[in-house]
Amino acid sequence: EPEVTQTPSHQVTQMGQEVILRCVPISNHLYFYWYRQILGQKVEFLVSFYNNEISEKSEIFDDQFSVERPDGSNFTLKIRSTKLEDSAMYFCASSEDRAGVTPFGPGTRLTVT
Amino acid sequence: AQTVTQSQPEMSVQEAETVTLSCTYDTSESNYYLFWYKQPPSRQMILVIRQEAYKQQNATENRFSVNFQKAAKSFSLKISDSQLGDTAMYFCALRNTNAGKSTFGDGTTLTVKP
């Protein structure tokens, strides 16, 4: 069964550095999402992406964040200047349409020191 | 705005027993999906079961079933014959069909005791 994949599984970075988290959505899916989960807290929506543009974003998704689909397979989340509070698990998800099931990737654990 | 509330931060159950996790939600939309996700210590999000709001019949998936009360905006998860491997955090989530994004509850930590 097709799966969403994410790399790396764990990323450690210093405060102020830029990080790029990568996701490969399921191949025939058209809608892409990033979610964040700070340790011990709930999963929070960051951004949704469709037709090469952001369709919705949350208050968390400020100017430090950006998303891109650089080619036909990858979907990336960039944090320009990481802060300690960006330490979290980041999940990518995708769906065939707005109403479809959105399988989650295994997540990338980001640790900012 | 849509909200999801899980009022039980922690629950425990004896192996082989049945446990029910509660979830209430609020949305102004008429078409939506409800989900239960399992998050084991690995922190991967695993879809357990989903319910389409337009379906009156409660969804079931092996030992997992839901009690969907649309008028009351309640969506509880029943786990029958609990197994040690069911120990995990469980999240209830709501997704409007025209919104795309999902809104999650705070989660319930379930411990299955031998």
Side-chain angles (χ1 to χ4, degrees), chain A residues 66-79:
Chain A
S66 63
V67 288
E68 191 178 31
R69 190 156 161 80
D71 53 43
S73 60
N74 289 285
F75 178 52
T76 62
L77 174 69
K78 182 193 293 186
I79 308 175

Side-chain angles (χ1 to χ4, degrees), chain A residues 8 28 71 75 91 95 102:
Chain A
N28 64 333
D71 53 43
F75 178 52
F91 293 101
S95 64
T102 52

Side-chain angles (χ1 to χ4, degrees), chain A residues 86-103:
Chain A
D86 292 328
S87 293
M89 197 78 164
Y90 288 81
F91 293 101
C92 174
S94 68
S95 64
E96 198 170 354
D97 53 46
R98 293 179 71 85
V101 175
T102 52

